[in-house]
Amino acid sequence: MNCAIIILLFAVLNVIVLAMYGIDKYKAIKGKWRTPEKTLIGAGAIAPWGAIIGMNLFNHKTRKAKFKVVYLFAVIHIAIIIYLYYGL
């Protein structure tokens, strides 16, 4: 698969996850049905940058300890990118 396509796909996924966090924050404010936490964490495993930006931009789930794992997912993604780039 072309590298540009992979980067584009990754960017789109991160934007979707960012939107998920924003929508869930909106629903929290309005008292509506919410996205399950395990879904948000799972989405953060796939696209951690969108999750981290969403958490901080919307001040959403930043105090919950279990959401700190999203930062670990970001480190894992960086390690995978370095591995794939340098072929270690």
Side-chain angles (χ1 to χ4, degrees):
M1 189 180 281
N2 188 344
C3 186
I5 294 172
I6 294 171
I7 292 170
L8 179 63
L9 177 62
F10 191 67
V12 168
L13 286 171
N14 277 280
V15 169
I16 291 169
V17 171
L18 170 65
M20 285 176 64
Y21 275 78
I23 291 166
D24 191 57
K25 178 64 176 195
Y26 172 80
K27 289 179 177 182
I29 292 169
K30 296 295 182 180
K32 296 184 176 194
W33 177 85
R34 307 275 305 280
T35 304
E37 288 185 343
K38 65 180 179 179
T39 301
L40 291 173
I41 292 171
I46 296 168
W49 305 110
I52 290 169
I53 293 169
M55 286 169 56
N56 290 291
L57 180 64
F58 303 115
N59 194 27
H60 190 50
K61 304 291 187 184
T62 55
R63 294 186 203 155
K64 292 212 168 204
K66 62 180 151 184
F67 278 85
K68 301 296 182 194
V69 74
V70 173
Y71 292 95
L72 176 61
F73 295 147
V75 171
I76 292 169
H77 275 246
I78 291 170
I80 291 169
I81 291 167
I82 290 170
Y83 177 79
L84 292 173
Y85 184 78
Y86 291 107
L88 301 175

